[in-house]
Every structure is written in structure tokens, then in C-alpha cells.
Amino acid sequence: MAVLRRFDGNIISCRHRGVILSRHAGATHFWTSPHTALTTSSLNSRIIDTLRRQIATATLAPGHKLPAERELATLFDTTRITVKDALSMLETEGLIYREERRGWFVSLPRLEYNPASRSHFHEMVRAQQRQAQTQVLSCETVVAPCELVTEMGLSPLSKLIRICRARCIDGRTVLYVEHFLRPELFPGIEQQDLSQSLTALYQREYGLEYSRSRFDICPTAVRGEAASTLNLSQGSPVLAVSRINYDQFDRVIDCDREIWRHDAVRIRVESLSF
Amino acid sequence: MAVLRRFDGNIISCRHRGVILSRHAGATHFWTSPHTALTTSSLNSRIIDTLRRQIATATLAPGHKLPAERELATLFDTTRITVKDALSMLETEGLIYREERRGWFVSLPRLEYNPASRSHFHEMVRAQQRQAQTQVLSCETVVAPCELVTEMGLSPLSKLIRICRARCIDGRTVLYVEHFLRPELFPGIEQQDLSQSLTALYQREYGLEYSRSRFDICPTAVRGEAASTLNLSQGSPVLAVSRINYDQFDRVIDCDREIWRHDAVRIRVESLSF
DNA sequence: TAGTGGTCTAGACCACGGT
DNA sequence: CCGTGGTCTAGACCACTAC
């Protein structure tokens, strides 16, 4: 049906000067179906294909910084806008990411994340041969946001404890997370070390265990404090995972809102069908 | 901590002529945390805020077509590029979507989708008061793509049956899906009506039932046949959900690759913690 | 202070969709 | 055929980062 039209030439010729960047055949990326054809051959997609190939072959290795946009524009004999379009597309694809005014970088392998597991973040990261770090940004009592009143079944104008944290993998902040806790269940939690696993803390200090949870996964755009914490520009794509957790007595314990850099994670869930 | 700085003025004043578009205060969108601040007030974010508000109040109702980019540029006294930037950001956020060369439209409510449930697509859509439709694009025997050989535990150069379908909600194609089936389990399936639920077909005709499955969720960019089927431009953001399904004897039955329009769906999973 | 991306101007031509 | 977005040019100034 769909015909496979790969761009197999090594020389990416530009309109005026001609540019040689890629000398290797591309490897197949998991999310690149071999059944999809490349139908366009615009300048834009030549830039994309060239960069994609360099990334696939690790000629551009994970974490490496790309040349400046102006430099790439010169290299490909075009303007910054065209280059930016190409880079945005690769960003959407998750192959590269940007840091606000710092430049563009090749993405690191995605963390495999199972939101149904109560495995601790640090453990999960270590199990994947990566290094984790957690930073507490704030802990304060707030009036429950109205959508949480509904979601958590609270009475209106309830108070909640809000804990904000940033989590890093291999030195890069990839996750901004807000926890909303029912204060009556967690007296004095402000005095605890909140950079550790909250799940462990709940259990050790308060005898509360997750029994079941419900989570929503929703790709969206980042704004506000989450954006600056993640070094992202306003409106960059992220993956929002919100969870409601129930304890062994089926009471709502807390609610998380995780904002993941969308190139940094792959959700994997094992489940029984029902 | 973060200060709430809402843009509460009704009059969006542009640099030369001044434009009044919005007259209503915005409602809070679920994914818009009230704890995040709007830190910029560029021309771009004024466009975004104005459109966001109009959408939140359904002044711009779901499914409605936005004015042409050139028209918006005139309206906001700016250029098409600036308008496109704003529209792209709203697209990333999932509030609007585009159809290739047709224009920009306000997104419909997201379908709530639980990949762990074996509920049939048509049932699930109907349960949410929407209308579903399925179109079979192709059914053919192919050599197993190499990443599936690994994922499904096949011997190299195995053959698989590949079924490609498009699924619509309320007349809009929102899902492109490929199924890869082990041919030895499904003799003669090509002669069946493949526009119905495959799950039901497996059970009725072949006595096979899903018992468990593993799925991966990964935001990425769309290319190739999936893009044209979904009326998307190359590189638009989508949500890729790939699943491996096991039968009651714990054998791999099939593997799905779903490509969802990223504004059309919200993944919701209920799970026991472990 | 130099370098970077963020934002923006003011146009242009083309390809495809719908009539 | 016209209207639409898709792509592209050739610059500009600003804000922030890193040194």
C-alpha cells in the first residue's frame, strides 16, 4: 500500500553552496513505522532528515548541543525561521529538546515509567542505570483548587497541603510535580524531609499505603512555574500525568500532578484486561 | 510562592489600531493549574490569551473554524508568522487543531480512553455520547518489522497479518491504528468484516480472549500514512499508544499501534497499586 | 560582554482543498 | 477558480545565559 521512499543519498545538497552533513544510513527508531513513507522533500524535511539520521547513528550523541540556530541556517543555506520549524518538528518527535535561551540538545533515552507501580522514583531511575535527584520547591497550605474539590470529593473551600518538587535524571530536570495532601491525614508533615519518597514517608510515619489509584495522561503545553523549573519555553509540549491515590481503606490520600518533559519519558503499563 | 497574575482586562489593545475580541472572564481549564503564573505579556501571548478565553467560554464553540491566518493577522495587527506561533502553541495545548490546508478548528472534548479495558471502541464512544465510525484501510500479509520481532518474541523474518484502520468520532478521524496478528492464530480472517471490533471477532471466531496486555504511551510527531489519514500536516503532535495483547493461555495474540490526534483523547487508567 | 534563543516585521510563491 | 495553509526570504531588536 504505502510505498517506502527512503532518502538514501548521503549528500544533502542545498540550493547554493551544497552541504555535506550525513554519511551514515539511518537506524529505525521505535516510533518510526517502517510502513510510513516520507512524502515531502522540502528544504525543511531535508534538514529534519539530516539531523534525524545524525541522531539515529549517534553521530550527534545524546545530550550533545546542536550548533546555534544561526549557524545551522548558514550551514543549510536558509533562514533561522526555516531552521526553527525543523527543530520544532524534531522537538515534537522527542528527538531533541531545548533549554530556554541555552540552545538545542539531543534527547537522552526516555525513562520507562509505570504510573501504576508504587515504585519510588529514585529506585525506578536507578534500576534503569540513571541518576536521580529531587529538590523540594515549596510546601504550603492552600485552598483546594476547584477542580480538585470535585476530583477528590472534598467539601468546597477545603484546605490542602501542597508540596512542589523538581526531579532530575542525570542532572537534567525532567519532572515538575505538585502533591496535594489531605492535611488531617498528615499532621506535621512539613517538618519531614520531603526530598525523599513521599510514598515511603506516608507508610513509615502515617501508616498509610497506596492500594489503588486512578491516573490521567494528557499531552499539553507547559506554562508558568512548571515551565521555568523545567527550563522550558512557555508553550513547549509536555506530558501531564495527574493521579488520585487511595489508601488501604479506600480513602483518597492525595493527588499528584506531574508535568514531564515530553521527550524524557515513556509510559509503560502492564495490566490485566477487564 | 508563585504569584497568580491573571490577565483580567477585557480589552486586548494592540499596538496600532486596538482590537477588542474578548469580553468574558476565562473559566479554568482542567490542565491549567491556577497555581501557575502567566509570566509573559508579549503580543503572542495576548493572542493566545484572547483565543484561550474565547474557547473557554465557548464563544468559540467546539468544532468551529477559526478565521483564516491572514485574517487573524489583520485582526491582531501583526504578521502571519506571529499568528502561526500562537496557533501552534494552542495546538500543543490541545485547544485547537488544524486540518491540512483546510484551516484551524476548536477542539472537541477529549475522549476518555482506558487502554487496559477491553471495551470495544464503538461501545466506549457511545457511552460518552459520541458517534463512532470505523474504516478499514488495508489488510495484508507483511514481513514482521524488526522491532516487533523483539517485542512479540517472534523468530526473525516471521510473517504477520497487518490490518490498518481509521476511526472517527463525530465525523472526524481521530485514530489511525495498525494491528499485527500472528497468522497461524487467525486463518481466513481476511474474509471477515474487519470494520467491527477485532476483540469481538477474535473471541467469536477464534475463541481467543485478551487476558492481559502491556501498553506504551509516547507523545511524538506524526508522519506518512498516519498523517494523511488523520488530515494532519507532517510533524503534527500525536499520541502513540502501542500495545501487546496476550490471550488466556498467555500467548502473544497481536500487537496494536494506535496513533491518536493528541487533542482528541485523554488516557485514563484505574489500577491497583503494586 | 558576547552568544543564544525569543519574538517580530513585511512581504513572497506554491500546493492543495473545495467550489 | 479562489481561499487556505505550507513554506520560505532577509532581515531586526530584545532578554536572558554564561562567562
Side-chain angles (χ1 to χ4, degrees):
Chain A
M1 206 143 201
V3 180
L4 181 60
R5 265 187 276 153
R6 284 263 176 89
F7 189 82
D8 274 327
N10 286 331
I11 299 177
I12 308 299
S13 64
C14 278
R15 286 148 309 142
H16 308 309
R17 289 200 288 271
V19 167
I20 302 178
L21 252 182
S22 179
R23 294 190 169 282
H24 306 278
T28 305
H29 183 269
F30 183 82
W31 293 101
T32 305
S33 165
H35 301 281
T36 57
L38 302 176
T39 51
T40 56
S41 62
S42 59
L43 167 55
N44 205 299
S45 41
R46 283 203 300 279
I47 300 177
I48 293 172
D49 289 347
T50 303
L51 292 176
R52 204 204 307 280
R53 201 173 310 180
Q54 302 247 333
I55 292 167
T57 58
T59 307
L60 285 169
H64 274 198
K65 188 174 181 305
L66 295 187
E69 291 179 359
R70 288 170 178 82
E71 207 172 318
L72 286 171
T74 308
L75 202 57
F76 286 99
D77 254 315
T78 182
T79 58
R80 263 182 80 200
I81 292 198
T82 303
V83 167
K84 278 175 85 74
D85 279 353
L87 293 173
S88 299
M89 221 162 276
L90 290 169
E91 181 192 38
T92 298
E93 204 171 324
L95 291 182
I96 62 176
Y97 66 92
R98 67 178 123 176
E99 302 220 340
E100 174 96 359
R101 281 174 224 276
R102 274 192 203 91
W104 293 87
F105 302 83
V106 178
S107 298
L108 300 175
R110 291 178 191 260
L111 184 79
E112 201 173 281
Y113 169 47
N114 183 347
S117 149
R118 69 156 73 93
S119 150
H120 310 155
F121 180 77
H122 288 255
E123 261 177 36
M124 170 178 74
V125 173
R126 203 166 32 238
Q128 295 179 45
Q129 286 79 51
R130 315 282 289 270
Q131 287 223 321
Q133 213 179 327
T134 299
Q135 191 190 348
V136 179
L137 302 175
S138 68
C139 173
E140 53 191 353
T141 303
V142 298
V143 174
C146 57
E147 69 282 8
L148 287 188
V149 170
T150 315
E151 295 278 327
M152 296 174 73
L154 306 171
S155 47
L157 296 176
S158 298
K159 286 203 145 190
L160 290 175
I161 298 170
R162 174 169 168 265
I163 300 172
C164 260
R165 306 193 292 178
R167 311 198 100 163
C168 307
I169 300 178
D170 297 340
R172 185 163 75 106
T173 307
V174 298
L175 172 60
Y176 171 87
V177 54
E178 292 174 316
H179 297 259
F180 292 92
L181 325 192
R182 303 183 53 177
E184 65 273 22
L185 297 179
F186 300 100
I189 201 169
E190 305 81 358
Q191 275 72 54
Q192 301 283 341
D193 169 18
L194 299 174
S195 69
Q196 61 178 304
S197 159
L198 291 184
T199 319
L201 187 64
Y202 293 172
Q203 185 168 10
R204 201 182 58 239
E205 301 291 328
Y206 302 94
L208 293 177
E209 254 181 68
Y210 287 170
S211 66
R212 66 179 183 95
S213 57
R214 191 187 73 198
F215 51 92
D216 284 325
I217 300 168
C218 192
T220 186
V222 72
R223 291 195 289 155
E225 192 186 345
S228 42
T229 303
L230 296 170
N231 286 317
L232 286 172
S233 320
Q234 298 284 323
S236 299
V238 287
L239 200 64
V241 180
S242 79
R243 303 205 296 177
I244 299 186
N245 302 303
Y246 298 83
D247 70 4
Q248 62 268 45
F249 313 111
D250 221 38
R251 296 177 301 184
V252 173
I253 302 183
D254 70 345
C255 171
D256 308 354
R257 285 172 169 172
E258 305 176 346
I259 309 284
W260 289 85
R261 291 190 81 128
H262 92 299
D263 63 287
V265 70
R266 168 173 45 238
I267 308 279
R268 165 165 292 190
V269 181
E270 310 261 358
S271 82
L272 300 175
S273 297
F274 59 90
Chain B
M1 207 145 201
V3 180
L4 182 59
R5 267 187 277 155
R6 283 265 176 90
F7 190 82
D8 274 327
N10 284 331
I11 299 179
I12 309 297
S13 65
C14 278
R15 284 149 310 142
H16 309 307
R17 291 197 286 272
V19 168
I20 302 178
L21 251 181
S22 180
R23 294 192 170 277
H24 306 279
T28 306
H29 185 265
F30 183 82
W31 293 104
T32 304
S33 165
H35 301 281
T36 57
L38 301 177
T39 51
T40 55
S41 62
S42 58
L43 166 56
N44 205 300
S45 40
R46 282 202 302 279
I47 301 177
I48 293 172
D49 289 348
T50 304
L51 292 177
R52 204 204 309 282
R53 201 171 310 178
Q54 303 246 334
I55 292 167
T57 58
T59 308
L60 283 168
H64 273 199
K65 187 174 182 308
L66 296 187
E69 291 180 0
R70 287 171 179 80
E71 208 172 316
L72 287 171
T74 308
L75 203 57
F76 286 99
D77 253 316
T78 182
T79 58
R80 262 184 80 201
I81 291 199
T82 302
V83 167
K84 276 176 86 76
D85 278 353
L87 294 174
S88 298
M89 221 163 278
L90 291 168
E91 180 191 40
T92 298
E93 207 172 322
L95 291 181
I96 62 175
Y97 65 91
R98 65 179 123 175
E99 302 219 339
E100 173 96 359
R101 280 174 223 277
R102 271 190 207 96
W104 293 87
F105 302 84
V106 178
S107 298
L108 301 175
R110 290 177 192 260
L111 184 78
E112 200 172 282
Y113 169 46
N114 183 348
S117 147
R118 69 156 72 94
S119 147
H120 309 154
F121 180 79
H122 287 254
E123 261 176 35
M124 170 178 75
V125 172
R126 200 165 36 236
Q128 295 180 44
Q129 286 78 50
R130 314 281 289 271
Q131 287 224 322
Q133 213 181 329
T134 299
Q135 190 191 347
V136 179
L137 302 176
S138 65
C139 173
E140 50 191 353
T141 304
V142 298
V143 174
C146 57
E147 69 282 8
L148 286 188
V149 170
T150 314
E151 295 279 325
M152 297 175 73
L154 306 172
S155 45
L157 297 176
S158 298
K159 287 204 144 188
L160 291 173
I161 298 169
R162 173 168 168 266
I163 300 172
C164 259
R165 306 193 292 178
R167 311 197 101 162
C168 307
I169 300 177
D170 296 340
R172 185 165 73 107
T173 307
V174 298
L175 172 59
Y176 170 87
V177 54
E178 293 173 316
H179 296 260
F180 292 92
L181 325 193
R182 302 184 52 178
E184 66 272 24
L185 297 178
F186 299 101
I189 200 169
E190 303 81 358
Q191 274 74 52
Q192 302 284 340
D193 170 17
L194 299 175
S195 70
Q196 61 176 306
S197 160
L198 290 185
T199 318
L201 187 63
Y202 294 172
Q203 185 167 11
R204 199 182 60 239
E205 299 291 328
Y206 301 94
L208 292 177
E209 253 183 67
Y210 287 169
S211 66
R212 65 180 184 93
S213 58
R214 192 187 73 198
F215 51 92
D216 284 324
I217 300 168
C218 192
T220 188
V222 71
R223 293 195 288 154
E225 191 184 348
S228 43
T229 303
L230 295 169
N231 285 320
L232 287 172
S233 321
Q234 298 284 321
S236 298
V238 288
L239 200 64
V241 180
S242 78
R243 305 206 296 177
I244 298 186
N245 302 304
Y246 298 83
D247 70 6
Q248 62 268 46
F249 313 111
D250 220 39
R251 295 177 300 183
V252 173
I253 301 184
D254 71 345
C255 172
D256 305 357
R257 285 172 169 170
E258 304 177 348
I259 307 283
W260 289 86
R261 289 189 83 127
H262 92 300
D263 64 285
V265 70
R266 169 172 45 240
I267 308 279
R268 165 163 290 192
V269 180
E270 310 261 359
S271 82
L272 299 175
S273 296
F274 59 89

